[in-house]
Amino acid sequence: MEKKQLAVVVAVVGMFCSAALAGGPLGPPMSIREHGEWAFDAGYMYEEMDVYGAGKYSEREREWYEDEEEEEWVPGDWETFGCGYDRRIRLIDLETNTWLASLEYGLCDNWDIYVRAGIADAKGDIAWREVEEEDEEPYEEYCVLEGGSVDFDYGFAWQVGAAFTICRSGPWTFGGRMQFGAAYPDSFNYSGSEVDEELVDEWTEDGVTYQEYDDYSERWRGSIDLDWWQTIAYLGATYQVDPALQLYAGGGWQTLHGTLDHSDAETEYYTGSRLLADGELVDSYEPEDPIPEEGESSSGSYKLKHASAIGVVGLLWAPTDNTRVGVECLVGEAGKWGIGVMAVFATP
């Protein structure tokens, strides 16, 4: 008799590994649902990683001029003074939180398929590296970008996957899993300002030192966009310890691709002049509105890529017919690892 299940899955996954974005949870390398079974799941994942990439960026500048007829300051055209610079980029300690709901289905006796949809965010630091020339010797150096911390708010995320069984022999089951996922966090927007001064003239008269300053205000704003997708596939074996407990292990491959785009603009405003006599203010001028003088902007696009072998071990415990609890560990290259916990409460 065909049964349908309504399942609620609570998953807590911590992935402390480079480029394990949207990688879990995975689950045992076999199909676990009977033919025709449905399940509605919900899950949460926390991940942390360093991600590397490369791309190009360009810089532009422009100046303002006064329109005497309109009595206002008008920006001139942007002029590119640098383009196509090669730059390597690194996302340091990138943390993501992903919340997903999913629909699973037992396609046949040996195949399960599922689709997940939800939201994901990300935050971390950005560092960049580019080749420069100094004394005719090229060198590379990592530099933290000004305002290097980034915080991307929640945006859309999704995953699709399949679990399959190849064969069974006594307590052993052999199979695998394949999963593809992507995330599109919201843009990170930033802005700021800084006050600066320029010593225009200095002289001494009758024993008094006079200093004339022009005051400026620098204002900037920018936006950074991040998205990624990842494919994971692995084969393995599951061992039935007893009717309530199964152990599994396997190995496979993960591939990640992502994109990071940024654009920013900075404008310098003239805000007034001051005259000091022995450090004391004796005269000042302040325009009715700050006067824009010059601006700069830059933009860049960077491709994020990563691929590595992975190993997965875990256990699946079924204390009752309607409850499953799983614990999983993912290990990758160069010290990468992750853990996951999953609980399933099913109602026929």
Side-chain angles (χ1 to χ4, degrees), residues 34-187:
E34 297 180 6
H35 180 207
E37 281 189 341
W38 290 89
F40 297 92
D41 307 333
Y44 164 76
M45 285 156 283
Y46 168 81
E47 300 162 313
E48 182 178 332
M49 69 229 68
D50 287 353
V51 181
Y52 296 82
K56 296 181 181 293
Y57 76 102
S58 301
E59 296 177 313
R60 302 182 301 169
E61 62 183 1
R62 66 179 176 182
E63 295 184 355
W64 269 256
Y65 63 92
E66 185 176 9
D67 187 329
E68 296 182 356
E69 292 184 1
E70 299 293 335
E71 296 183 351
E72 63 180 6
W73 291 85
V74 180
D77 295 332
W78 285 108
E79 296 182 2
T80 300
F81 66 88
C83 67
Y85 295 132
D86 290 324
R87 173 181 283 178
R88 297 180 185 178
I89 194 166
R90 178 183 177 188
L91 301 178
I92 305 171
D93 296 331
L94 184 68
E95 301 177 13
T96 67
N97 293 280
T98 306
W99 302 80
L100 295 169
S102 70
L103 176 65
E104 300 184 13
Y105 179 66
L107 186 63
C108 58
D109 290 339
N110 294 321
W111 279 89
D112 297 343
I113 57 175
Y114 57 88
V115 57
R116 297 169 176 168
I119 55 176
D121 71 350
K123 66 178 181 179
D125 296 318
I126 294 181
W128 55 267
R129 181 173 64 183
E130 62 188 67
V131 177
E132 298 182 5
E133 298 227 356
E134 185 174 279
D135 297 330
E136 299 182 354
E137 290 293 332
Y139 69 95
E140 291 185 347
E141 180 180 0
Y142 266 117
C143 303
V144 176
L145 292 175
E146 185 176 359
S149 295
V150 291
D151 191 348
F152 303 92
D153 205 352
Y154 282 101
F156 182 62
W158 60 272
Q159 294 177 351
V160 294
F164 56 91
T165 296
I166 298 174
C167 64
R168 293 181 175 88
S169 178
W172 292 94
T173 301
F174 301 90
R177 279 186 179 259
M178 300 178 292
Q179 182 170 292
F180 179 88
Y184 313 91
D186 198 10
S187 300

Side-chain angles (χ1 to χ4, degrees), residues 317-325 343-346:
W317 178 47
T320 69
D321 291 339
N322 296 324
T323 305
R324 283 195 180 97
V325 178
V344 181
F345 307 97

Side-chain angles (χ1 to χ4, degrees), residues 183-230:
Y184 313 91
D186 198 10
S187 300
F188 171 65
N189 300 308
Y190 59 93
S191 61
S193 63
E194 185 177 68
V195 176
D196 196 9
E197 63 181 23
E198 179 183 347
L199 180 60
V200 178
D201 197 6
E202 182 176 15
W203 71 93
T204 301
E205 184 177 327
D206 297 331
V208 179
T209 300
Y210 294 90
Q211 294 174 314
E212 183 179 353
Y213 288 93
D214 283 344
D215 295 327
Y216 297 92
S217 174
E218 295 180 0
R219 304 175 189 178
W220 60 85
R221 54 183 169 79
S223 178
I224 302 176
D225 295 301
L226 172 68
D227 59 68
W228 66 81
W229 62 262
Q230 186 188 28

Side-chain angles (χ1 to χ4, degrees), residues 23-38:
L26 289 174
M30 65 176 185
S31 60
I32 58 176
R33 306 210 175 277
E34 297 180 6
H35 180 207
E37 281 189 341
W38 290 89

Side-chain angles (χ1 to χ4, degrees), residues 234-277:
Y234 87 100
L235 299 173
T238 302
Y239 181 75
Q240 184 86 40
V241 179
D242 58 46
L245 182 64
Q246 295 173 304
L247 303 178
Y248 61 89
W253 193 259
Q254 64 174 2
T255 300
L256 175 140
H257 289 256
T259 302
L260 186 143
D261 298 315
H262 84 84
S263 61
D264 58 61
E266 179 179 324
T267 304
E268 184 179 75
Y269 294 85
Y270 169 74
T271 57
S273 300
R274 293 171 293 127
L275 179 62
L276 306 181

